[in-house]
Amino acid sequence: MIKIEPKRKSIKTEIRVNGDKSISHRVAIFSAMSKGISEIENFSSARDCYSTIKCLSALGIEIKIEKTIKIKGAGIRGFKEPIDILDAENSGTTIRLLSGLLAGQPFFSVLTGDNSLRRRPMDRIIVPLSLMGAEFWARENNKFPPIAIKGRYPLKPIDYKLPIASAQVKSALIIAGLLAEGESKITEPLPSRDHTERLLPAFGVRLIKSENTVIVYGNQELEGQRVYVPGDFSSASFFITAGLIVPDSEILIKDVGLNPGRIGLLNVIKRMGGEIEVYHKEDILNEPVGDVLVKSSQLKGTVVSKEEIPILIDEVPLIAVLGAYAEGETVVKGAEELRVKESDRIRAIVTEFKKLGVNIEEFPDGFIVSGPSIPNGGIVESYNDHRIAMALAIAGLSARDSIYINNEECVSISFPDFWDIMSKL
Ligand code: S3P
């Protein structure tokens, strides 16, 4: 259990966050699929990314973890049949992206994960990857891990419309598309983060991307690269929220990724009246990178609609935090995807906020917070979900009394330095 004491003084500081988790997973997988050696700087320290690294090692890829990560690529077809079950632990990105890769490898493999991952839906990748010709077996009628895969090369190309916007599903299909014969077309109902589409051309891949559609050509070689991973916007979001709700504060977050598919929270903050400035400094790996300056602000409620959810999917718990400190109603709609994340994040945030006396109500697809409704002190649960633990901790910075969070170690899934930065604040 960890104790969060409310900050009675302002926070004036500059912060750097860990390398981006989504980009790190992808860079590791694309490096493994490349010809030649890749060297990755500022690879995410998130435990999830090491789940990907361990699975790639078990598939015969040589990886050296030093100050940088060096990966000796095997080419798109150079992976070896693993002699044991691959464990993606808590990582949805690992299991889904690797399913796309393993669908196109002509051998047998099994992917599993921890208690949380084994409850997350995998039919969303199993259905389209089966259409491409790979064979799958999974629990409860091909829905939940463990997933057994009998891959084949080449796969059949696919023209597929995703029923829900998901960067993980889209990326799994793009990776499988590289292992297919001919042209695959993947369409999303709404745009989600497009790191895969931006990164693959940096590894020499030809693809065509329009707003909601990606066309990828099979049987292309990837070339190893030297890459630098920008800071993780989702990690930065916790301290952006802290800067807004702790009185008289000013926080500068340096060198953070500003992919338009990730920064939906900034639009919400602006609508809420938050003082926030973004300085775009450069592009790294086709990704915009810059600094974000945030100042404490008088916030007002807003409505977050279904169309916005994919570009702020991981930041929804923080919208509840902002809502508690804002004047009026903050409403989130169309966010039912949150129920199948590392925990049911709608249920988790509503239940724990209610324990702290916050005026919040649950809907099947979101919640409404009537603010201001400053949290009281109390004991809350993380549900072993990193983003719930961190959102509750940030809420505690301006609460009326101390908040105690159970099972706080889970933050290392995405942000191992979180508690260190918190104690320095
Ligand atoms: C991710 C995509 C999102 C996000 C997750 C990381 C990715 O999941 O919630 O934290 O790296 O592609 P979905 O694609 O399932 O929405």
Side-chain angles (χ1 to χ4, degrees), residues 22 26 93 96 124 166-168 193 313-314 341 387:
S22 286
R26 289 161 170 78
T93 309
R96 295 199 176 114
R124 54 183 64 190
S166 162
Q168 291 178 352
R193 64 190 68 187
I313 183 98
D314 292 335
K341 293 291 176 188
R387 297 200 201 280

Side-chain angles (χ1 to χ4, degrees), residues 4-6 8 324-325 356-357 372-378 395-403:
I4 310 295
E5 264 182 67
R8 299 297 175 212
Y325 288 91
L356 301 173
S373 177
I374 311 299
N376 299 320
L397 286 176
S398 269
R400 294 189 198 281
D401 211 337
S402 299
I403 290 180

Side-chain angles (χ1 to χ4, degrees), residues 20-23 25-26 48 92-94 96-97 120 124 164-171 188 192-193 195-196 234 262 310 313-314 337 340-342 345 386-387:
D20 188 274
K21 176 160 90 77
S22 286
I23 296 179
H25 282 294
R26 289 161 170 78
D48 267 4
T93 309
T94 306
R96 295 199 176 114
L97 268 58
R120 297 182 64 187
R124 54 183 64 190
I164 36 167
S166 162
Q168 291 178 352
V169 176
K170 171 177 62 175
S171 300
E188 291 188 285
S192 65
R193 64 190 68 187
H195 301 302
T196 299
S234 295
R262 295 289 293 281
I313 183 98
D314 292 335
E337 264 297 287
V340 291
K341 293 291 176 188
E342 287 83 328
R345 287 186 175 155
H386 51 127
R387 297 200 201 280

Side-chain angles (χ1 to χ4, degrees), residues 125-136:
I125 48 160
I126 292 177
V127 168
L129 290 171
S130 302
L131 290 173
M132 295 179 83
E135 285 181 86
F136 282 84

Side-chain angles (χ1 to χ4, degrees), residues 41-53:
E41 261 184 272
N42 204 35
F43 188 79
S44 171
S45 52
R47 236 164 62 206
D48 267 4
C49 296
Y50 284 87
S51 304
T52 291
I53 292 279

